[in-house]
Amino acid sequence: MSKLKSLNRQFISNLDTHKVVTDAKRNLILSILKSTTTKREAKNYLTKYQNQFDFSDLDANKNIKIDENSLTKKNSQRELFINRYLNQSNPFINIYDNEEVKLQKVPLRLAIFKIKFPTITIKQWKGIAETFKRLITLGISPIIMLDYDHLPSDSFKNNELYMIDQGNKMLTYLGRPEEEGDLKITLLRSLFTSRGGHPTLDSLEQILIPLYQGIIPIIQPIVYNADLCKQEFLSSDTLLYGLSSALIEKRTTDLLSIEKIVMIDPSGGIPSIERHQTSHVFINLSQEYSDILSELYIGHIQPKNRDTHVNNLNSMNSILTFIYQKSGNDETTGIITTPEIMSVNDDQLNPIIYNVLTDRAIISSSLPSTNNRTPQLSTTIIKKGVDVEIFDADDYDKKFTLHNLFNDGLVDKKRLVELLDDSFGKKLDVDPYFDRINENIATVVIVGDYDGAAIITWEYSEGDKIAYLDKFAIAKKNQGLPGLADVIFKIILQSHPVELIWRSRKTNPVNKWYFERCCGCMSAPESQWKIFYTGEIFDKKIDRFKKKRKSYLESGTVNIDKKLHQYSEICEGITPSFK
């Protein structure tokens, strides 16, 4: 009888455990759907991280295509990896070939954190620990580096004792491993050997094995100098670059990916003059790196703070460029934010968690900085990004026409037509359209490998010349790509900061996005068009290109009735360009 009672208690306990696990999985799915603002973002996240989870027992989610045995396979992969390493055999050879168990590729999704810690409070550490827990729940494997650059370099012994003390404090701050639900941490040191001033990672497995076991490694910046036969300290940026490059170079294909490079710095993101010295929201390094670097030196911040931001920007640029060159993709994202912001435990307010879920910043970088509704941030999202080509009359030594751009090979006519057809889902009436805008062309923007484009023309009304956004196109395959539309639209606004208009069909679902970026819009009841306008003449946009300003802006007055009449005349008078 007692045995029967024991079995009954065990059965009830198993049911309770199953309910807790099932509820946790359901809550995870609900939180993902809640934190991602579009179906596309939710789908992209689940597709990318599906192998990190096992949702197979959730009947309500059968429509979500998740590999049913992914968690089992992941555990099997971990066991095989560790057993091989302990048996002194290469853990990576044939890891996915037929053996006792056929294993699916379950890559580690890494996020490397460089933390400036001296000013972080205990309360903030608790919030940061919760953020790490949430990231692990979402499928991220964190690696932590503490920034010891504030220490003097004259005493290795004293610095080593300080580092040991800080490491022990970290174990306390981030949780005790013996307590269920707390983070598991391990301290790693002397992972690197330096020869000729170049640090190399001795053993990738020393980092990967803790990660496979669900343990967060904290890497101490100590390197063995083989030339001098002694231990030394590495600067945090050197260690960050060395670790990132070693993980990329030594990895087996699809074994791991570096998803995020995160710098936690009390100074926050890279400051922007346009945003009143709050942070740049998003930086496209391929286009903006040199301009932003120059902007940091024009004296709007103190030299000490400037040097910090310059170092952070240079470090991010070096790492993201290296990863892009080695991996051939732009999936790694850089994030610079403050300890206070990282300690926020809200998926939609914590920029790191939000970026994992959506791969973008909390707000759009193309929102007008002068709009009171646009939040001011202390976080910068950084991507290697896409190359941008901008063609306008100021930088062209011939008569600036579209046909001349085609003839000179600066713009590929065929690819531009293909992009417009693909983006709008219609066939362009090619010759009539290009003939109409040929001599009215103001600016042509080509992004990436014809991933997106914009065509701005000069239109005339009552003797005034007004910039008109004629085409704003993004290839369908890139329409969910975070930041691409923002990159193009920012260039459009910066190229024509004084006055810009465009039109969109009333039924266009993008109109909400346009409305957030304009100074005003209008439409007549009988018209199919909604007309948008923006520019400095409405005191809504600050110009970064001073040469574009005109003296009449200084009067501070504008005849709005006349302007709206001109805008209506232009937008209603342009013939449709698609068949």
Side-chain angles (χ1 to χ4, degrees), residues 338-358:
T338 66
E340 182 180 6
I341 292 174
M342 186 183 175
S343 67
V344 174
N345 301 132
D346 185 307
D347 287 1
Q348 293 181 303
L349 296 178
N350 186 308
I352 302 170
I353 295 174
Y354 189 78
N355 187 262
V356 168
L357 290 167
T358 66

Side-chain angles (χ1 to χ4, degrees), residues 304-546:
K304 184 177 180 181
N305 290 336
R306 177 202 65 204
D307 293 343
T308 297
H309 292 300
V310 168
N311 289 339
N312 288 343
L313 182 62
N314 284 335
S315 181
M316 277 292 188
N317 183 58
S318 299
I319 294 169
L320 295 179
T321 299
F322 179 87
I323 293 174
Y324 176 77
Q325 291 171 345
K326 289 293 183 179
S327 65
N329 62 58
D330 189 31
E331 293 188 359
T332 304
T333 302
I335 304 173
I336 305 176
T337 191
T338 66
E340 182 180 6
I341 292 174
M342 186 183 175
S343 67
V344 174
N345 301 132
D346 185 307
D347 287 1
Q348 293 181 303
L349 296 178
N350 186 308
I352 302 170
I353 295 174
Y354 189 78
N355 187 262
V356 168
L357 290 167
T358 66
D359 202 26
R360 59 185 177 87
I362 287 179
I363 67 169
S364 169
S365 61
S366 63
L367 288 173
S369 58
T370 53
N371 193 323
N372 292 331
R373 294 176 298 175
T374 302
Q376 295 183 337
L377 304 180
S378 297
T379 301
T380 299
I381 304 297
I382 304 176
K383 284 273 196 182
K384 178 58 181 173
V386 291
D387 293 325
V388 175
E389 292 183 289
I390 304 172
F391 305 101
D392 59 28
D394 294 338
D395 302 314
Y396 192 69
D397 55 5
K398 298 181 183 178
K399 184 178 181 181
F400 190 64
T401 67
L402 193 58
H403 290 324
N404 281 342
L405 292 178
F406 291 154
N407 294 335
D408 290 347
L410 297 175
V411 176
D412 189 320
K413 180 179 179 180
K414 180 183 177 182
R415 299 197 66 187
L416 180 60
V417 171
E418 289 173 350
L419 171 61
L420 294 174
D421 288 349
D422 177 62
S423 177
F424 288 89
K426 305 174 185 177
K427 286 293 183 182
L428 185 70
D429 199 0
V430 179
D431 291 334
Y433 172 65
F434 286 149
D435 289 341
R436 177 178 69 79
I437 68 171
N438 179 48
E439 297 197 1
N440 290 350
I441 203 76
T443 305
V444 177
V445 179
I446 304 294
V447 175
D449 189 23
Y450 286 81
D451 297 310
I455 299 174
I456 300 100
T457 61
W458 292 118
E459 304 297 337
Y460 298 86
S461 176
E462 301 179 23
D464 290 339
K465 184 170 72 169
I466 298 171
Y468 169 71
L469 175 56
D470 194 286
K471 291 289 178 285
F472 178 27
I474 297 176
K476 273 195 167 57
K477 66 176 182 178
N478 298 318
Q479 286 180 1
L481 196 64
L484 186 59
D486 289 325
V487 168
I488 299 174
F489 204 78
K490 279 179 67 177
I491 294 169
I492 293 168
L493 296 180
Q494 290 167 0
S495 299
H496 297 275
V498 175
E499 187 177 19
L500 178 73
I501 63 172
W502 66 97
R503 72 181 186 183
S504 174
R505 294 186 186 275
K506 289 181 177 179
T507 55
N508 191 342
V510 182
N511 285 343
K512 180 180 181 294
W513 193 87
Y514 285 147
F515 183 76
E516 293 172 340
R517 286 152 182 79
C518 71
C519 294
C521 68
M522 65 175 183
S523 63
E526 68 279 4
S527 173
Q528 63 176 323
W529 303 110
K530 189 175 284 289
I531 300 170
F532 299 89
Y533 53 91
T534 189
E536 285 189 356
I537 62 172
F538 303 103
D539 296 324
K540 290 287 186 178
K541 185 69 185 174
I542 295 176
D543 182 18
R544 288 174 60 190
F545 300 90
K546 304 299 182 185

Side-chain angles (χ1 to χ4, degrees), residues 60-115:
N61 292 288
K62 286 182 178 178
N63 59 325
I64 300 177
K65 296 181 179 179
I66 303 295
D67 180 11
E68 293 185 354
N69 298 312
S70 60
L71 191 62
T72 303
K73 292 180 179 179
K74 185 174 183 179
N75 288 337
S76 300
Q77 177 174 316
R78 288 176 174 174
E79 292 175 9
L80 177 61
F81 182 96
I82 294 168
N83 288 337
R84 282 182 168 183
Y85 179 72
L86 294 176
N87 292 327
Q88 297 183 343
S89 60
N90 190 329
F92 307 122
I93 293 179
N94 299 324
I95 191 169
Y96 301 116
D97 291 346
N98 287 321
E99 295 191 0
E100 300 85 0
V101 180
K102 175 72 175 178
L103 297 176
Q104 183 184 356
K105 296 180 181 180
V106 184
L108 289 170
R109 304 287 187 182
L110 303 182
I112 304 175
F113 288 79
K114 188 188 85 165
I115 302 177

